Amino acid sequence: MMGPAHSLSGAAAWLGVGAAAAAAGHSMPWPVLVVGALITAGAALAPDLDHKAATISRAFGPVSKRMCEIVDKLSYAVYKATKKPGDARRSGGHRTLTHTWLWAVAIGAGASGLALVGGRWAVLFILFVHLVLAVEGLLWRAARMSSDILVWLLGATSAWNLAGILDQPGNGSDWLFNAPGQEYLWLGLPIVLGALVHDIGDALTVSGCPILWPIPLGRKRWYALGPPKAIRFRAGSWVELKVLTPAFMVLGAVGAAFALGIV
């Protein structure tokens, strides 16, 4: 799928988690719901760090472009080193390493660990990165028409203000993990969710997605999971734009309404 659909699906997924938590009697504080949705929207773009033409490659100027080149080469090297006889030949690393459950868990765990040991500045960095990505995904038209610096300033000021709101008692900095020193440990959860939702979205397209790597399936280790090929679609097709994108908006709105106790 394309960037906007990925971001919308990520936000909708977190709002759905919020609705489920409310139904189970453990409602999220509203700042956690909002910040988590924005982080998941941004994290849902991150697996395409292996593609130099993806939305994420433009998000941070030359830095993100260079990172995409490095991750592409790394992913391709891992693919070649771990493929089985049934896996196809490839010329690049797109939709390999960064499109797996293992990558999603590793990135989420790394973010939680960074927040745990790095304190407030690490939290601000995590928020900044994902809020910039959320703007690039959810407000992509405005982001394309604006300068990168304006988008970065919006991400930085939003990160600062939202961290301040979360720090207030009862607003969620210690949501789910409330032992002393474990504030913001939950930040890894929306990051994992965003990456997995991205992978599931890509699995619906023609190429499928090797979500289960490194678990082998038959003669393949990079088995591209997906529904029957007859019901798959191409990224950017009318199915994505006219069916899935509106569906994500509706599901997100319904999830938010339940999570906030409006319905």
Side-chain angles (χ1 to χ4, degrees), residues 9-218:
S9 65
W14 183 260
L15 294 171
V17 171
H26 299 285
S27 298
M28 294 178 184
W30 72 264
V32 172
L33 186 70
V34 172
V35 173
L38 291 172
I39 292 175
T40 311
L45 296 181
D48 278 344
L49 195 58
D50 60 4
H51 193 334
K52 62 183 180 180
T55 301
I56 190 173
S57 72
R58 301 185 293 270
F60 300 98
V63 173
S64 52
K65 288 182 180 180
R66 181 57 179 159
M67 284 188 65
C68 285
E69 294 173 359
I70 294 172
V71 173
D72 178 27
K73 292 178 181 178
L74 171 64
S75 299
Y76 182 50
V78 172
Y79 180 87
K80 290 196 299 181
T82 62
K83 71 184 185 72
K84 295 187 69 177
D87 290 313
R89 291 185 177 181
R90 300 181 61 95
S91 59
H94 182 48
R95 285 202 187 185
T96 55
L97 179 62
T98 62
H99 287 68
T100 65
W101 70 270
L102 188 59
W103 176 272
V105 172
I107 292 299
S112 289
L114 182 62
L116 190 65
V117 302
R120 181 173 179 79
W121 288 108
V123 169
L124 289 172
F125 172 76
I126 294 168
L127 292 177
F128 167 72
V129 168
H130 289 90
L131 290 173
V132 168
L133 292 177
V135 171
E136 293 283 353
L138 298 175
L139 304 175
W140 65 276
R141 291 184 186 275
R144 295 285 178 85
M145 292 187 293
S146 302
S147 70
D148 289 341
I149 294 176
L150 288 177
V151 174
W152 299 340
L153 285 174
L154 176 60
T157 54
S158 298
W160 185 272
N161 289 326
L162 288 172
I165 292 171
L166 285 167
D167 282 339
Q168 295 175 16
N171 276 2
S173 63
D174 58 350
W175 176 71
L176 201 59
F177 302 95
N178 51 23
Q182 292 185 354
E183 293 81 8
Y184 292 107
L185 192 60
W186 61 271
L187 286 181
L189 298 178
I191 293 173
V192 173
L193 180 62
L196 291 177
V197 168
H198 177 111
D199 296 344
I200 293 170
D202 278 355
L204 299 176
T205 64
V206 173
S207 301
C209 190
I211 302 173
L212 295 182
W213 181 89
I215 301 171
L217 292 175

Side-chain angles (χ1 to χ4, degrees), residues 8-19 33 37 245-263:
L8 279 171
S9 65
W14 183 260
L15 294 171
V17 171
L33 186 70
T245 297
F248 295 147
M249 292 180 179
V250 172
L251 290 173
V254 172
F258 276 97
L260 295 172
I262 298 174
V263 295

